[in-house]
Amino acid sequence: MEYTEKMADKNLTIMEEFILLGFSEIPNFQGFLFVMFLVIYINILLWNGLIILITNVEQALQTPMYYFLGNFSFVEICYTSVTLPRMLINLWSQKRNISLLSCATQLCFFLVLGVTESFLLAVMAYDRYMAICKPLYYHIIMNHKICVQMVIGSWVTGIPLLIGQTYQVFSMSFCGSNKLNHVFCDMPPLMKLACGDTSGIEFFIYIDCFLFGLIPFLLILLSYTRILRTVLKLPSNTGRSKAFSTCSSHLIVVSLFYGSGVIAYLQCKSSYSGRTDKIFSLFYTILTPMVNPMIYSLRNKDFIEAMRKLFSKCVR
């Protein structure tokens, strides 16, 4: 009896690789999905790359708002590149296995970049608050040094805790099947395969969600609450419409990112649904990076004008 228990415990910890099931439940659509995700990935790279290029070369866009937007687009490229290339390889080769180390690396980069994006969205909201509510102090407070420090802070704030969280997750014992019902290595499907009592790790996951998700979101809400009060006091309808136009683009991206992320992460292990989680994970890993450049460029006259100038220079 004692020997059997020891062997059972040993088998719980032996897990050299996972199998990402992805969209294996629809085998006839693998080719279509590969082409669709490839087109989406190319669009994400091109459009976000275009934003980075224009915000760096066009003098009219050398402002804090576009500096943050350029950095946000760079994060979007990195964020998508953590998951989409692997998805494309799996769809093309039909080999869905991923080693434990590769899975841990993917999860760690995914979490770090997700937190960076969350803080950058909060920084962009604060920038809009300063521009609309404190216009006289805007260029004094939001100088280049402060903007650089905000971007660096967004990148490095969550790294130590998230590396520790990743180590904590992969220190667990995984039992039964090694099949992850997901398109990449993410926290909810990994927790689903974990054995024993995972309440302690789930508690720390909720703490991280609070620190790196809820707090930035509350800061965004606070910024836009004050922006709304200020805008409603403006005497000119033109000023109101311009302010709402500038802020609405950011709010759409915030809604897509946080809405899908909350549904995916703030659910317990027992209520996890692979199919639902896969759908919502595509929202915050693919849809947001894809629509972000279109939302900001198509709704921004300055950006459209800068794009025209750049294309005319290329043509000449």
Side-chain angles (χ1 to χ4, degrees), residues 88-99:
L88 292 170
I89 292 170
N90 292 347
L91 287 168
W92 178 261
S93 65
Q94 297 299 303
K95 295 179 181 178
R96 299 184 173 87
N97 55 308
I98 181 171
S99 68

Side-chain angles (χ1 to χ4, degrees), residues 196-215:
D197 183 19
T198 60
S199 57
I201 296 177
E202 285 186 3
F203 173 76
F204 283 109
I205 291 174
Y206 290 137
I207 292 294
D208 284 350
C209 287
F210 174 78
L211 291 175
F212 304 132
L214 186 59
I215 288 180

Side-chain angles (χ1 to χ4, degrees), residues 286-301:
I286 295 177
L287 185 63
T288 304
M290 183 177 68
V291 302
N292 165 50
M294 300 176 189
I295 290 170
Y296 279 108
S297 60
L298 296 177
R299 296 176 61 87
N300 191 306
K301 292 180 181 179

Side-chain angles (χ1 to χ4, degrees), residues 260-271:
S260 53
V262 164
I263 294 172
Y265 271 78
L266 295 185
Q267 56 179 324
C268 61
K269 178 179 174 181
S270 59
S271 62

